[in-house]
Amino acid sequence: MTHNRDWIDNAKKNAAKVAITHVKDKYIIGLGSGSTVAYAIKELGEKVKIEKLEIFGIPTSYQAFLLATKYGIKITTFEEHPIIDLTIDGADQIDPKLNLIKGMGAALTREKIVASASKTNIIIADKRKKVTCLGIHDHPVPVEVIPFALTQVENQIKKIGGKTVLRKGTGKVGPVITDNGNVILDAFFGLIKNPSQLNHLLKMISGVVETGLFIDQTDLVYLGTPDQTEKIEKK
Ligand code: 5RP
């Protein structure tokens, strides 16, 4: 089934609205990245204004930082607030165990750092992101790589059965450069039967900074459609 732009946008907005109800006064909030989280950050800014909340955000990307400041959300750092109460982030694929593929926005490394520092992680997405198995529909695993190691990492990923494509930028020539100054390899493995094992194998490769496989980090998922939002909790 194909969905038009309005369907997708309204689905994302609905999931974002429900997630924001979890935010409480004095919370430190991890601000994920992507188009769904953009709705959540806008919604959060309105909630902060209306309810006069004293919250601080830790953004996972330059995009999230700019949106947070635009919508009046104060920013903090791990140095000031090492523990995050709640992170709201998006995802590209979500499996039945709530393992994820993330990183189509190239913010995966900071997103994983923030998720690891969070007491609670909520993922918001439109319903299309729910899958039976990660990697389905030939979806790649984004891998952030130190540019110096690019060829070496490509060769190692080939050895473990992946095909890689260096992600190209738009609005510039050449590769996407992440907020950390690195490049992204989109690694295609087909159906990923054991995401945890693949994550470990990828992370063992010298020059890999982080992978877009988020294993056992998600507490709650809100999957939106234009009419309703489905809640899926970690078992
Ligand atoms: C960025 C991400 C995003 O959260 C993910 O790509 C989902 O984005 P969107 O909400 O635009 O579909 O992981 O690195």
Side-chain angles (χ1 to χ4, degrees), residues 86-157:
L86 170 67
T87 289
I88 299 173
D89 205 347
D92 302 302
Q93 288 196 332
I94 304 161
D95 80 4
K97 289 183 176 163
L98 307 192
N99 293 323
L100 315 171
I101 292 182
K102 286 183 51 54
M104 293 316 284
L108 58 128
T109 298
R110 292 188 192 204
E111 288 173 333
K112 206 181 270 191
I113 294 167
V114 163
S116 307
S118 279
K119 290 189 207 162
T120 303
N121 283 295
I122 297 181
I123 293 296
I124 53 175
D126 67 78
K127 211 171 178 166
R128 298 170 309 154
K129 306 287 184 76
K130 184 180 167 182
V131 296
T132 50
C133 181
L134 297 181
I136 201 167
H137 311 313
D138 208 22
H139 198 291
V141 177
V143 181
E144 182 159 352
V145 176
I146 290 176
F148 178 72
L150 180 59
T151 308
Q152 293 302 320
V153 173
E154 281 178 312
N155 290 339
Q156 294 303 317
I157 291 179

Side-chain angles (χ1 to χ4, degrees), residues 9-19 222 224-229:
D9 286 344
N10 289 326
K12 289 177 181 182
K13 277 182 203 167
N14 275 345
K17 266 189 194 152
V18 185
Y222 284 117
T225 70
D227 310 314
Q228 59 188 27
T229 301

Side-chain angles (χ1 to χ4, degrees), residues 28-47:
I28 305 303
I29 312 277
L31 303 170
S33 301
S35 57
T36 317
V37 171
Y39 290 124
I41 296 177
K42 184 169 188 274
E43 196 74 30
L44 182 60
E46 278 158 25
K47 184 178 164 100

